[in-house]
Amino acid sequence: MTSFPVLPRSFYENPNVTSVAKSLLGKRLVAELPEGKTVGRIVETEAYEGITDRAAHSWNNRRTARTEIMFGQGGKVYIYLCYGLHHMFNVVTNKIEHPHAVLIRAVEPLEGEELMAKRTGKELGDPTITRGPGNLCKALGLSKIHNGVDLVSGIIRIEDDGFQVKKGAVLATPRIGVDYAGEHARWLYRFILKNNPYVSKTKSLTKK
């Protein structure tokens, strides 16, 4: 079976969270769990810029049992339960005490789609199978028990298979569901691969 390079710690320690969020597009998110291996190409991300970002859990240096993982080493998994219903998979970025993170909002299935369909109760080829962070986590079998997993050496990892994102294919938009963040809700911190069917649907898009 073909193996691909795992993104190194230095990739995640980049202090520019929007650069990390854009660079994650096209990479392979791999979950190798007891049920089987599932892989999806990342097609939608959102950046959260730590203590200066009202949309971030760590805004204003907020430290709780839940957010403490964000203040740690870049390259760790941060998973939380949203509204008691949906798990949200995030990648911790930057260095210790700089709580940046990137939410992975959607992937395009590459391997293990039958297992994804079984987990979600959806049909093969249905774009909603991994569209949106809740569906993504359900399809890949990710939950709070994976909080803190090291992406550099763990059962969950992000790989680079050499996929090239074409020039002009990345769009930047405001993030979804963060209206409470005031003017920060309008930041163009969501990045998508243009015209990919697995990306969440929005009314307006801005080219980046």
Side-chain angles (χ1 to χ4, degrees), residues 132-154:
N135 287 330
L136 181 156
C137 282
K138 193 171 183 180
L140 272 63
L142 304 176
S143 68
K144 287 176 66 176
I145 65 171
H146 302 113
N147 191 49
V149 166
D150 191 344
L151 289 163
V152 177
S153 59

Side-chain angles (χ1 to χ4, degrees), residues 32-183:
E32 205 149 10
L33 306 181
E35 284 184 281
K37 180 181 179 182
T38 50
V39 183
R41 192 173 305 286
I42 298 171
V43 298
E44 181 178 1
T45 62
E46 283 183 348
Y48 289 86
E49 202 167 5
I51 63 175
T52 61
D53 182 355
R54 288 179 177 271
H57 289 170
S58 53
W59 175 70
N60 201 28
N61 214 38
R62 185 187 299 125
R63 299 185 80 140
T64 66
R66 181 174 77 164
T67 65
E68 193 60 30
I69 186 68
M70 299 178 71
F71 289 85
Q73 188 178 40
K76 298 292 183 69
V77 172
Y78 170 42
I79 294 184
Y80 64 91
L81 194 61
C82 183
Y83 303 123
L85 297 172
H86 306 294
H87 285 97
M88 314 285 271
F89 177 86
N90 299 260
V91 174
V92 176
T93 69
N94 211 329
K95 296 186 178 180
I96 293 173
E97 300 300 328
H98 296 276
H100 293 179
V102 176
L103 171 66
I104 309 301
R105 288 194 53 89
V107 300
E108 179 178 344
L110 295 177
E111 296 180 31
E113 192 171 3
E114 289 187 358
L115 178 54
M116 295 182 194
K118 179 181 177 181
R119 286 169 171 162
T120 60
K122 296 178 183 290
E123 298 292 330
L124 289 172
D126 182 348
T128 67
I129 198 167
T130 49
R131 179 194 291 164
N135 287 330
L136 181 156
C137 282
K138 193 171 183 180
L140 272 63
L142 304 176
S143 68
K144 287 176 66 176
I145 65 171
H146 302 113
N147 191 49
V149 166
D150 191 344
L151 289 163
V152 177
S153 59
I155 57 174
I156 304 165
R157 59 188 180 274
I158 300 178
E159 300 175 340
D160 185 355
D161 65 352
F163 178 85
Q164 294 294 315
V165 175
K166 294 180 181 178
K167 186 176 180 179
V170 176
L171 300 179
T173 82
R175 292 169 292 191
I176 296 174
V178 296
D179 292 345
Y180 58 83
E183 65 182 51

